Amino acid sequence: MARRDEQRGDRRNRNDEERDSEIVEKLVHINRVAATVKGGRRFSFAALMVVGDQKGRVGYGHGKAREVPEAIRKATEEAKKSMIRVPLRESRTLHHDGHGRWGAGKVLVRAAPPGTGVIAGGPMRAVLETLGVQDVVGKSQGSSNPYNMVRATFEALKAQASPRQVAAKRGKKVSDVIGRRADGASAAAPAADAEG
């Protein structure tokens, strides 16, 4: 019995290692912070990390420690625990435009046609690249504070919904939902349904 549990544990560890090997880590921001104590100032480092599998899962984390590598390790662990799944259209762009707000940070993310690339700067770019989006336009309209920008970007991404999710929520077929789209992608879908 103990041996079977051991094998299960080994299998779980192997699966975790495989999952971790696919994850891309990006350091967004590192900040030196000081605590004033009786003997003077005590310095430590705060790190903001973004991790993702470039297939629709992304997370962010914040870590603080006396040394930079330790702060990065803590932030990476937190980021892996807080990963979210974002539905992507054709595995390259978002399904629709989105707005996100966190504190004074405001961001706008827009779906883009093939070949556009990732048009976004700073912390937004790190989040979108680790997510695995290839064509997207991002614009920061508020504060440039990296913490607020990352959180606002996550708020915009959490609001993303695929046509399948919307159809399930409304109790309709996917073709009914896609037929109402304004862009060129929807014109081909009803024609294909009519032929089949």
Side-chain angles (χ1 to χ4, degrees), residues 8-55:
R8 263 195 216 129
D10 289 346
R11 207 176 305 133
R12 255 188 236 122
N13 289 342
R14 234 179 284 131
N15 289 344
D16 288 345
E17 286 170 14
E18 284 173 19
R19 212 176 298 129
D20 287 352
S21 67
E22 296 170 3
I23 288 177
V24 176
E25 302 168 359
K26 286 204 177 203
L27 176 64
V28 176
H29 186 69
I30 196 137
N31 191 22
R32 192 180 78 167
V33 292
T36 306
V37 293
K38 194 161 70 175
R41 285 193 186 137
R42 184 178 294 150
F43 293 102
S44 61
F45 295 90
L48 178 63
M49 291 288 291
V50 173
V51 300
D53 64 357
Q54 295 189 322
K55 293 175 189 161

Side-chain angles (χ1 to χ4, degrees), residues 92-94 109-113 116-120 128 133-138:
R92 61 161 194 86
T93 190
L94 303 172
V109 288
R110 304 190 84 165
T116 305
V118 178
I119 301 175
L128 295 168
V133 181
Q134 290 150 22
D135 303 305
V136 69
V137 177

Side-chain angles (χ1 to χ4, degrees), residues 37-84:
V37 293
K38 194 161 70 175
R41 285 193 186 137
R42 184 178 294 150
F43 293 102
S44 61
F45 295 90
L48 178 63
M49 291 288 291
V50 173
V51 300
D53 64 357
Q54 295 189 322
K55 293 175 189 161
R57 288 179 68 224
V58 69
Y60 72 94
H62 174 238
K64 246 186 195 177
R66 297 293 299 274
E67 302 293 328
V68 174
E70 185 64 14
I72 289 172
R73 187 191 62 75
K74 284 182 181 178
T76 305
E77 277 181 20
E78 189 185 308
K80 284 177 183 172
K81 287 179 193 167
S82 72
M83 286 179 90
I84 61 165

Side-chain angles (χ1 to χ4, degrees), residues 164-178:
R164 188 177 289 136
Q165 291 169 331
V166 174
K169 210 180 274 185
R170 294 183 190 169
K172 296 190 172 201
K173 292 179 187 167
V174 177
S175 58
D176 295 341
V177 176
I178 292 176

